[in-house]
Amino acid sequence: MVNDKLLHPESIAVIGASNNTMKPGGKLVKNLVDHPFRGKLYVVNPKSKEIQGIPAFSTVEDLPSVDLAILAIPAPFCLHTVEVLVAQKNTKAVIIISAGFGETSEEGKKLEQQIAQVANRFGACLIGPNCIGVMTPHHASVFTTPIPPLVPGGCDFISGSGATAVFIMESGIPKGIRFANVFSVGNSAQTGVEDVLAYLDETYKPGVSSRVKLLYIENIDNPDKLLLHASSLVRKGCKIAAIKAGSSSAGSRAASSHTGALTSSDAAVEALFRKAGIVRCYGREELTTVAGVFMCKELKGKNLAIITHAGGPGVMLTDALEDGGLHIPQIPDSPAKQSLKEKLFEGSSVENPIDFLATGTAEQLGDIVDACENDFDVDGMAVIFGSPGLFPIRDVYELLNEKMKSCRKPVYPILPSIINVKEDVSYFLSHGNVNFPDEVLLGRALTKVIHTPAPATSGSFMEGIDLKAIRAIIEQAKEGYQPPGIIHQLFDAAGIPRVKEIVVTSETEAVLSSLNIGFPVVMKVVGPVHKTDVGGVILNIRNVAQVRKEFHHLKEIKGAEGVLVAQMASGTELFLGAKYEQDFGHVVLCGLGGIYVEVLKDVASGLAPLSLEEAGSMLRQLKSYKILKGYRKQEGVNIPQFAEIIVRLSNLLRHATEIKEIDINPLLGNETEILAVDARVRVGKSSNESS
């Protein structure tokens, strides 16, 4: 429930203000004074008549009307204080930095919920509790440092953790990352990351609002809201990067103990971010490096020129970019290349990386940048220029500043000498530029940005999908793992191609079924879940005698309810599956089968329903994508059909949420067709079942 009084208050009251700037209430007042809040600033302290030169009120009841109140008082006193503020002082925004709430106990959780209810009743915005506060270009209502320059052209940054927000700013400021608004939401009793993002979306003004959003998320309470507003902002031209903490089981425990909330499945988070067009990051340095990429001009292709006066960093950047799927093309011979070479010192290389030696000058750098901008077939430039501390290089950074602004193509400055020429780097950053002191981090960030797909389209593929039949099958199905007959009906209704299969209970039926399907056939036991573990799968049966023999063998397996006779398919083994995650819906996973999914975990995830574009993006994300396309004379698979099957499955699941788990393993595919060979489907209809 973010509102204008939080962002642009005309009056602020600090409850629990102090003369001791080592205390939160004291540092809050100091920050508001030092980064001057231009409105009316009130302070409340029952023991002092004056706080840092500001006359103090003894109680909150003595205050006049106030737009924004910041509470730095013990948790037990916060409820009454908020009641007075919103009911009597017309306060429409409250920030509670105090701890001792839901992060510590159930009683604390109840207390913060009571405060949220009061704020909701009077239409007030509540930030926190257990947060560092909020910063906007109008006020620095935090008790921490650093406080970066807050400018409209900077990043909007929303964090679920106050300490982490501080660390991320400390990572970003030396790189030249600027901030517009910083929100620390703490326990999110009323207003969470998704709510702030929704406000930024609903109030977005092109050319005025910040176009870069950074998120640090410990818990996703409303995935649909995050997806809606993140994808909306990206479509409006914004760029979003986010860290979601708690991707491992140990990380999940840590996040839970810190926020008092459970974390979501990592596969679901990955799928949600891809669907929304969010660049996912895993650490502070990666997040702020991606932010720097966002603040440069957009890279519209995959070809980069590396301009360097130091060979090693150029090689490391080349490796990072090439490993990530970007290209460092050789500069072909041409009059422009020859002309440039003549302007450089002897021994310089104009191949790419373009190395103009440690003795290279600002004028030569300008000639190289101009050639890359106008003559060479590249989409952007990375410029590496440091200093051994022997001679001044301010003129180089002055020229680079000019080129950053005048070039149509993006220029990524890598200025690693943050000690030797600290003042020159500061000069460069003071002109609104960013710096990437580590070339490998830049390379990885660039590849992440360029490989993050655009937000998914809302249209879905429905051709040949019988929704009425799907609903009728599901409504009649019993809970638990489904027999082959039900699975066949579901696949047929969804248009998912499958091998011919017939369940039999007698030797005669087995023989007739094998003749109907045509040899060779596969025979599988029906009943046990893990068929291969009990010797329940027999391949490549080529005659009636084998059918009779294997039927009796399979029927004798413990738990056997019948025998399935199936068409013997061939091709590359593929995997497709899905699991229902509470709040997120179905997370669809795809990849190559066998060791690729079981050992290497090479899978891509998507959130149902999926479009054909999303399914294609999932497949291209796989490390094994080259194998799908066909590799070293080995036949590939029909990738468009694989993508279509993924979409058909996602639509089946969207209209059959009772399906909690599904594995199609394997699908067998070649260049002409893909068929589902074996599948497990688990239905859960109980209201309390989430997975």
Side-chain angles (χ1 to χ4, degrees):
M1 195 183 287
V2 178
N3 58 35
D4 191 62
K5 298 301 183 185
L6 177 70
L7 301 179
H8 310 99
E10 294 182 4
S11 55
I12 297 177
V14 178
I15 319 300
S18 173
N19 281 310
N20 185 350
T21 57
M22 303 292 286
K23 292 183 176 180
K27 194 60 177 287
L28 266 166
V29 175
K30 180 173 172 55
N31 284 343
L32 285 164
V33 172
D34 289 350
H35 302 270
F37 170 59
R38 303 297 182 185
K40 297 176 181 177
L41 179 58
Y42 305 117
V43 295
V44 176
N45 185 310
K47 298 179 181 179
S48 301
K49 293 184 177 180
E50 187 177 277
I51 299 294
Q52 299 181 43
I54 303 170
F57 292 89
S58 295
T59 68
V60 69
E61 284 85 355
D62 298 331
L63 283 170
S65 292
V66 62
D67 290 340
L68 167 64
I70 311 160
L71 277 59
I73 56 178
F77 300 109
C78 287
L79 176 58
H80 170 74
T81 302
V82 172
E83 287 174 335
V84 173
L85 286 164
V86 297
Q88 301 176 26
K89 307 303 175 182
N90 198 31
T91 302
K92 293 301 180 186
V94 177
I95 301 170
I96 302 178
I97 68 170
S98 316
F101 289 90
E103 79 282 2
T104 60
S105 67
E106 278 301 313
E107 285 199 7
K109 184 70 174 176
K110 291 177 183 176
L111 178 58
E112 70 181 41
Q113 289 172 345
Q114 289 176 307
I115 294 171
Q117 289 167 2
V118 171
N120 290 338
R121 190 161 67 247
F122 287 89
C125 172
L126 172 65
I127 300 292
N130 187 31
C131 68
I132 63 167
V134 171
M135 290 185 278
T136 80
H138 300 277
H139 64 101
S141 295
V142 293
F143 68 93
T144 57
T145 58
I147 298 177
L150 298 160
V151 295
C155 303
D156 284 330
F157 174 34
I158 314 167
S159 177
S161 163
T164 307
V166 170
F167 302 152
I168 287 172
M169 287 188 289
E170 287 195 288
S171 168
I173 292 169
K175 297 184 179 76
I177 304 302
R178 301 174 302 283
F179 294 87
N181 300 287
V182 177
F183 302 87
S184 162
V185 296
N187 292 4
S188 304
Q190 180 213 62
T191 305
V193 172
E194 303 97 320
D195 302 299
V196 178
L197 197 68
Y199 177 85
L200 297 177
D201 177 31
E202 290 160 356
T203 59
Y204 184 78
K205 295 179 181 178
V208 177
S209 302
S210 169
R211 68 178 189 87
V212 177
K213 317 293 181 188
L214 305 180
L215 314 176
Y216 174 80
I217 307 172
E218 292 192 334
N219 187 61
I220 299 176
D221 294 315
N222 193 332
D224 287 341
K225 192 170 190 175
L226 181 63
L227 172 61
L228 172 66
H229 293 289
S231 56
S232 171
L233 281 164
V234 175
R235 290 191 187 99
K236 290 172 181 175
C238 290
K239 305 291 184 183
I240 304 177
I243 296 172
K244 168 61 179 73
S247 60
S248 66
S249 57
S252 296
R253 290 195 301 272
S256 295
S257 64
H258 183 59
T259 64
L262 295 172
T263 55
S264 305
S265 147
D266 192 57
V269 172
E270 182 73 24
L272 176 67
F273 281 15
R274 286 183 63 79
K275 199 175 189 73
I278 297 172
V279 178
R280 188 174 188 186
C281 301
Y282 290 89
R284 300 189 303 272
E285 292 298 316
E286 187 176 43
L287 182 72
T288 54
T289 304
V290 168
V293 171
F294 286 163
M295 288 186 158
C296 295
K297 291 169 184 174
E298 185 175 359
L299 181 64
K300 296 184 177 179
K302 293 188 175 183
N303 292 334
L304 274 91
I306 296 176
I307 305 166
T308 180
H309 70 159
V315 172
M316 289 189 285
L317 178 57
T318 299
D319 290 343
L321 292 169
E322 292 276 358
D323 287 347
L326 298 179
H327 308 302
I328 313 301
Q330 186 174 358
I331 306 298
D333 291 333
S334 67
K337 179 178 179 180
Q338 183 59 35
S339 174
L340 176 61
K341 191 167 186 179
E342 292 171 357
K343 295 175 183 177
L344 305 181
F345 293 138
E346 186 175 352
S348 300
S349 170
V350 191
E351 297 306 319
N352 199 16
I354 301 170
D355 189 340
F356 67 120
L357 309 180
T359 52
T361 66
E363 182 181 2
Q364 290 173 334
L365 176 59
D367 291 333
I368 298 169
V369 171
D370 288 343
C372 292
E373 170 79 355
N374 301 311
D375 302 322
F376 299 158
D377 185 21
V378 294
D379 303 299
M381 298 159 260
V383 177
I384 304 172
F385 203 99
S387 170
L390 295 174
F391 47 83
I393 60 169
R394 175 67 64 93
D395 60 338
V396 176
Y397 290 0
E398 287 174 343
L399 179 135
L400 189 55
N401 172 53
E402 294 171 9
K403 296 301 182 184
M404 290 278 293
K405 292 172 172 55
S406 63
C407 287
R408 301 182 312 277
K409 298 174 182 177
V411 179
Y412 303 104
I414 301 167
L415 316 180
S417 300
I418 56 176
I419 294 177
N420 278 343
V421 288
K422 180 179 180 180
E423 291 184 2
D424 295 322
V425 172
S426 296
Y427 160 84
F428 180 77
L429 297 180
S430 71
H431 284 72
N433 299 308
V434 294
N435 176 31
F436 302 96
D438 187 296
E439 61 279 349
V440 173
L441 278 177
L442 168 62
R444 291 172 180 167
L446 271 172
T447 60
K448 279 211 164 194
V449 170
I450 203 161
H451 290 311
T452 298
T457 55
S458 57
S460 58
F461 179 93
M462 296 299 295
E463 182 180 336
I465 298 176
D466 191 337
L467 298 183
K468 289 185 178 179
I470 289 171
R471 287 309 311 159
I473 296 163
I474 288 296
E475 286 167 9
Q476 295 174 13
K478 296 179 181 178
E479 286 197 309
Y481 286 99
Q482 299 303 299
I486 297 296
I487 297 173
H488 297 165
Q489 292 176 41
L490 285 170
F491 282 15
D492 292 345
I496 296 172
R498 61 178 180 85
V499 296
K500 297 177 183 177
E501 294 183 335
I502 302 172
V503 177
V504 300
T505 56
S506 70
E507 179 186 305
T508 301
E509 288 177 346
V511 170
L512 292 174
S513 296
S514 63
L515 292 172
N516 181 36
I517 292 171
F519 290 108
V521 296
V522 180
M523 295 179 69
K524 306 175 187 177
V525 66
V526 176
V529 172
H530 299 289
K531 300 176 180 63
T532 54
D533 293 348
V534 294
V537 179
I538 313 297
L539 305 176
N540 206 28
I541 297 172
R542 295 186 169 274
N543 54 57
V544 169
Q546 275 187 287
V547 170
R548 296 181 189 277
K549 174 186 173 185
E550 299 301 347
F551 173 81
H552 291 289
H553 160 70
L554 294 171
K555 280 289 288 181
E556 291 172 2
I557 293 175
K558 184 178 180 180
E561 299 171 2
V563 173
L564 184 142
V565 181
Q567 173 186 353
M568 181 82 181
S570 63
T572 300
E573 192 172 335
L574 308 173
F575 167 79
L576 181 58
K579 184 181 179 184
Y580 185 83
E581 290 288 343
Q582 185 68 24
D583 298 327
F584 287 82
H586 284 98
V587 180
V588 180
L589 303 175
C590 70
L592 280 175
I595 64 168
Y596 291 95
V597 63
E598 293 171 8
V599 179
L600 302 180
K601 310 297 183 187
D602 181 24
V603 294
S605 59
L607 208 57
L610 296 162
S611 65
L612 286 169
E613 290 80 8
E614 285 180 276
S617 174
M618 289 168 64
L619 295 175
R620 290 190 295 274
Q621 181 191 354
L622 294 168
K623 296 181 180 69
S624 52
Y625 181 63
K626 286 183 179 179
I627 298 174
L628 293 177
K629 291 172 66 178
Y631 187 66
R632 291 189 177 178
K633 298 183 180 180
Q634 290 187 354
E635 184 181 18
V637 303
N638 188 329
I639 291 176
Q641 187 185 15
F642 194 8
E644 182 181 316
I645 292 170
I646 294 170
V647 173
R648 288 181 177 278
L649 176 66
S650 80
N651 278 304
L652 163 65
L653 297 170
R654 187 67 170 180
H655 295 92
T657 55
E658 296 91 340
I659 295 176
K660 303 305 178 187
E661 289 181 75
I662 182 168
D663 269 350
I664 309 176
N665 189 16
L667 287 150
L668 288 178
N670 52 47
E671 291 178 347
T672 57
E673 68 174 355
I674 298 175
L675 297 173
V677 175
D678 199 4
R680 288 193 297 161
V681 176
R682 183 171 69 83
V683 169
K685 297 183 178 181
S686 302
S687 59
N688 62 349
E689 179 167 3
S690 61
S691 61

